[in-house]
Amino acid sequence: MKLIPAYAYTSAWHGLTCLALSFSLAFLPSMLRAQEKEFKLWTDKTPKEVVLGKGTLKEETSPSGVQKITYLPQPTLQKYPAPGSKRDKVIIVCPGGAYNVLAVNLEGWEICQWLNSQGYTAYLLRYRVPKNRLGALQDAQRAIRMVRSQNPGKQIGIMGFSAGGSLSARAATRFATPSYTAIDEIDKQSCRPDFCALIYPAYLDEGPNHTLTPELTLSPETPRFFIFQTEKDPYGNSAFTMGAALKHNNTDVELHIYPGGGHGYGLRQASAKVATIWPLLMAQWLETF
């Protein structure tokens, strides 16, 4: 696959402010679409490397209205279709939560509904938590294969927020190293995503002196990336580190760094004005390939 080098650094509003401020969560009530029932990632033939938890799912809601899954023993996918759309891309969404919880509305179904509004079918990945990075990677690789098997001929992308951004980056760089033994026809599909989007990602700079996290192995086959973060984000070095590494690898990457905004805003304008900026930029990026 031929990759085109590209590296964009944006540190100002570049005239998008007025347009962006017109975008808000107001679209959600009017565009809610029928999501399909959750389905399990793993069958009764769960590979020996995959250790599923016991008991039942646990959830809580924060004072700010963020719905959090605090314990998920059985990972699932949930499809949010875009009926009638001719888009050739399908996107898997990975919520964040420090690998301890899943912010399943803020960085999950709200994002899937936004993607639907842009004409893209989305899948919400509820990966195993808490504190199970290996399990999360297994879930992401299985999810990519499963979504690819259900959408032949489509480009399959993955996007994530915070820890979900870490997981998405891991899936987009570790596809040559299977994290579990194949168990069925689904696992014959490639687990390499065709593209990857990281929104305020975390944990990408865990190497010595905040260099690239060692497990993120870049190669000529690394897919294209979109990265958005703010200068005030406590994990902001993740975006710089990943962007620089991708540029050095001659991988197509579009990197945006904006002032203000902090971390964990999703699409919620009340949390940060930049919550209205990244969707516009990502929507434009998705039109370029």
Side-chain angles (χ1 to χ4, degrees), residues 114 159 161 199 228 265-267 274-282:
W114 170 71
M159 71 177 295
F161 300 75
I199 312 301
F228 184 96
Y265 37 82
L267 288 165
V274 290
T276 67
I277 297 291
W278 74 258
L280 294 169
L281 294 169
M282 182 174 167

Side-chain angles (χ1 to χ4, degrees), residues 19-268:
L19 177 61
L21 290 180
S22 67
F23 179 93
S24 74
L25 277 182
F27 76 85
L28 280 173
S30 62
M31 53 72 64
L32 288 176
R33 300 171 187 267
Q35 67 270 24
E36 297 182 0
K37 187 177 180 180
E38 289 178 59
F39 56 92
K40 295 179 180 179
L41 276 177
W42 304 103
T43 67
D44 293 337
K45 296 180 180 179
T46 301
K48 62 181 184 299
E49 300 91 347
V50 176
V51 180
L52 301 180
K54 298 180 180 180
T56 59
L57 174 147
K58 296 179 182 178
E59 297 180 276
E60 63 182 36
T61 301
S62 72
S64 62
V66 178
Q67 297 173 12
K68 299 178 180 179
I69 295 175
T70 59
Y71 175 63
L72 183 64
Q74 176 68 258
T76 66
L77 272 176
Q78 187 172 19
K79 184 177 181 179
Y80 287 73
S85 174
K86 296 182 180 180
R87 299 283 195 183
D88 68 345
K89 300 177 182 70
V90 177
I91 302 169
I92 300 167
V93 177
C94 302
Y99 286 111
N100 287 319
V101 303
L102 299 178
V104 74
N105 60 346
L106 174 70
E107 297 163 353
W109 68 260
E110 290 176 9
I111 308 303
C112 292
Q113 299 284 9
W114 170 71
L115 288 168
N116 284 171
S117 76
Q118 304 299 304
Y120 298 102
T121 290
Y123 284 76
L124 173 54
L125 172 60
R126 294 171 170 89
Y127 54 91
R128 281 170 282 167
V129 291
K131 297 180 180 178
N132 194 347
R133 288 199 187 193
L134 174 58
L137 179 60
Q138 292 168 340
D139 295 342
Q141 290 190 341
R142 175 73 173 179
I144 293 167
R145 290 174 168 134
M146 187 169 286
V147 171
R148 177 161 280 118
S149 72
Q150 294 181 3
N151 298 273
K154 300 283 188 178
Q155 295 187 68
I156 308 302
I158 190 167
M159 71 177 295
F161 300 75
S162 192
S166 164
L167 176 58
S168 297
R170 293 166 68 207
T173 57
R174 296 193 57 80
F175 50 85
T177 306
S179 59
Y180 64 91
T181 303
I183 56 172
D184 55 23
E185 291 295 314
I186 290 172
D187 288 327
K188 293 181 180 179
Q189 299 283 338
S190 170
C191 67
R192 175 193 175 275
D194 296 297
F195 57 94
C196 180
L198 312 179
I199 312 301
Y200 49 85
Y203 315 132
L204 305 184
D205 59 343
E206 295 180 326
N209 299 315
H210 297 288
T211 54
L212 189 69
T213 301
E215 70 169 321
L216 302 177
T217 305
L218 305 185
S219 74
E221 297 303 312
T222 301
R224 66 181 70 233
F225 273 73
F226 173 92
I227 308 173
F228 184 96
Q229 202 146 31
T230 70
E231 292 176 331
K232 302 297 184 182
D233 192 322
Y235 299 100
N237 196 55
S238 279
F240 284 108
T241 301
M242 190 71 188
L246 290 166
K247 179 179 182 294
H248 182 73
N249 192 57
N250 287 331
T251 297
D252 185 349
V253 54
E254 182 169 312
L255 170 63
H256 296 276
I257 307 293
Y258 275 78
H263 189 82
Y265 37 82
L267 288 165
R268 298 187 181 185

